[in-house]
Amino acid sequence: MTRFLAILLLIGLLAGCAGNTQTSNRLDNAEAAALYEAASEAAGRNDWQTAISELESLQAQYPFGLYATQAQLDIIHAYFQAGEVASTVAAAERFRRINPRHRAVPYSWYMQGLALEEKNRGPVKDWVGINDVLRDPVPRRQAFAAYTTLVEDYPDSEYTDMARGRLDVLYAEGAEFQLSVARFYADRDAWVAAARRAITVIEAFEGTAAVKPATDLLGTAYQRLGLDALADGVRTAQRETDRDAGDRIPDTPTLYEEETMEVPPAPTSEGPSGGSGGMGGPMGGGL
């Protein structure tokens, strides 16, 4: 009889523990939901700093809860909107480390590329009129690498076409940057350096609008260096190229037109949802 009572007591204790665990989980989910709702409301009014604060608290307190993955995605978008480039890149990399096979991984690569492009922008630089293509080329190369990874590894992603568009812009920017450096050397009569940069444009950025002025500059550089035969060869080749192309002036690339980057909202944690975005709960919804 004593043994029977002991068994009943043990069963009761186990049942009590299970009940307490379920109650605790429900409370945790409710608190996480409240934090997520606060973040969603802040994002809805473009209060990105508050949204970031709430999402950071959610991730710190409930890293494995129902809202964890969605918060990891939404905070990438929130950091970007707040202009926090380094945090955007870090959040994108963290998402991939935690969720390497998630369907939203292409989104993280796209946002990382956008953030790296934004690294060269800023209100002060825009106010003083600094040309984007003349700024630090390192973030541009890093953005190019991020977009390339997306295009090559996730060709069927809904973000791939947008990434290809950004690659075209970055390619044109790279050509223009090299041409600007060549002109910098030419203005200072550093003709050997100018010729080398012009050759870089011609060989590495074929098809861009910078090739023709780079070719003209190369001919001038050779002439100034006393290399008349090479200068004549460059000009002859340029005339043949112009004739083959029907003397058509290259179209102005998108880079030099009014253009904006398409910044998608965070997809739901169930995967990209055709643009509806996160901030609506872990199972879907939109801003």
Side-chain angles (χ1 to χ4, degrees), residues 153-241:
D153 293 354
Y154 306 94
D156 298 325
S157 167
E158 65 178 289
Y159 303 104
T160 300
D161 285 344
M162 291 187 290
R164 287 195 180 100
R166 299 313 307 166
L167 285 171
D168 290 342
V169 172
L170 289 172
Y171 187 67
E173 283 185 346
E176 186 67 15
F177 175 80
Q178 294 296 336
L179 178 61
S180 70
V181 175
R183 286 169 169 163
F184 173 86
Y185 287 131
D187 290 342
R188 288 154 181 77
D189 293 328
W191 294 109
V192 172
R196 288 173 177 167
R197 291 288 179 156
I199 291 171
T200 296
V201 174
I202 295 166
E203 293 182 345
F205 298 95
E206 183 180 0
T208 66
V211 170
K212 189 178 187 307
T215 304
D216 293 338
L217 180 58
L218 180 60
T220 301
Y222 281 151
Q223 186 175 28
R224 293 298 184 91
L225 290 168
L227 304 172
D228 294 337
L230 288 177
D232 290 342
V234 168
R235 288 169 181 147
T236 299
Q238 184 61 53
R239 285 194 296 270
E240 292 175 352
T241 299

Side-chain angles (χ1 to χ4, degrees), residues 70-213:
Q70 187 63 53
Q72 293 162 16
L73 282 169
D74 287 336
I75 204 167
I76 297 172
H77 184 255
Y79 279 138
F80 180 84
Q81 295 289 12
E84 298 185 18
V85 172
S87 294
T88 304
V89 174
E93 292 175 343
R94 179 175 180 269
F95 179 82
R96 292 194 296 273
R97 284 197 306 270
I98 298 173
N99 313 280
R101 299 183 183 279
H102 198 282
R103 287 178 293 175
V105 164
Y107 169 81
S108 72
W109 279 114
Y110 185 71
M111 292 302 296
Q112 182 168 328
L114 290 186
L116 289 165
E117 285 194 73
E118 283 294 315
K119 191 172 184 178
N120 264 340
R121 297 183 172 90
V124 175
K125 293 178 180 178
D126 293 338
W127 182 71
V128 299
I130 298 176
N131 187 343
D132 283 351
V133 300
L134 304 184
R135 298 169 183 174
D136 183 7
V138 174
R140 190 160 51 238
R141 289 198 296 268
Q142 294 171 335
F144 195 95
Y147 293 136
T148 299
T149 299
L150 170 52
V151 170
E152 292 180 349
D153 293 354
Y154 306 94
D156 298 325
S157 167
E158 65 178 289
Y159 303 104
T160 300
D161 285 344
M162 291 187 290
R164 287 195 180 100
R166 299 313 307 166
L167 285 171
D168 290 342
V169 172
L170 289 172
Y171 187 67
E173 283 185 346
E176 186 67 15
F177 175 80
Q178 294 296 336
L179 178 61
S180 70
V181 175
R183 286 169 169 163
F184 173 86
Y185 287 131
D187 290 342
R188 288 154 181 77
D189 293 328
W191 294 109
V192 172
R196 288 173 177 167
R197 291 288 179 156
I199 291 171
T200 296
V201 174
I202 295 166
E203 293 182 345
F205 298 95
E206 183 180 0
T208 66
V211 170
K212 189 178 187 307

Side-chain angles (χ1 to χ4, degrees), residues 2 11 16 30 34 36 43 57 59 61 65 117 119 131 144 157 185 209 224 231 239 245 250 254 263 266 279:
T2 302
I11 292 173
Y36 190 83
S57 295
Q59 291 184 84
Q61 297 177 48
E117 285 194 73
K119 191 172 184 178
N131 187 343
F144 195 95
S157 167
Y185 287 131
R224 293 298 184 91
R239 285 194 296 270
T254 306
V263 184
M279 287 295 184

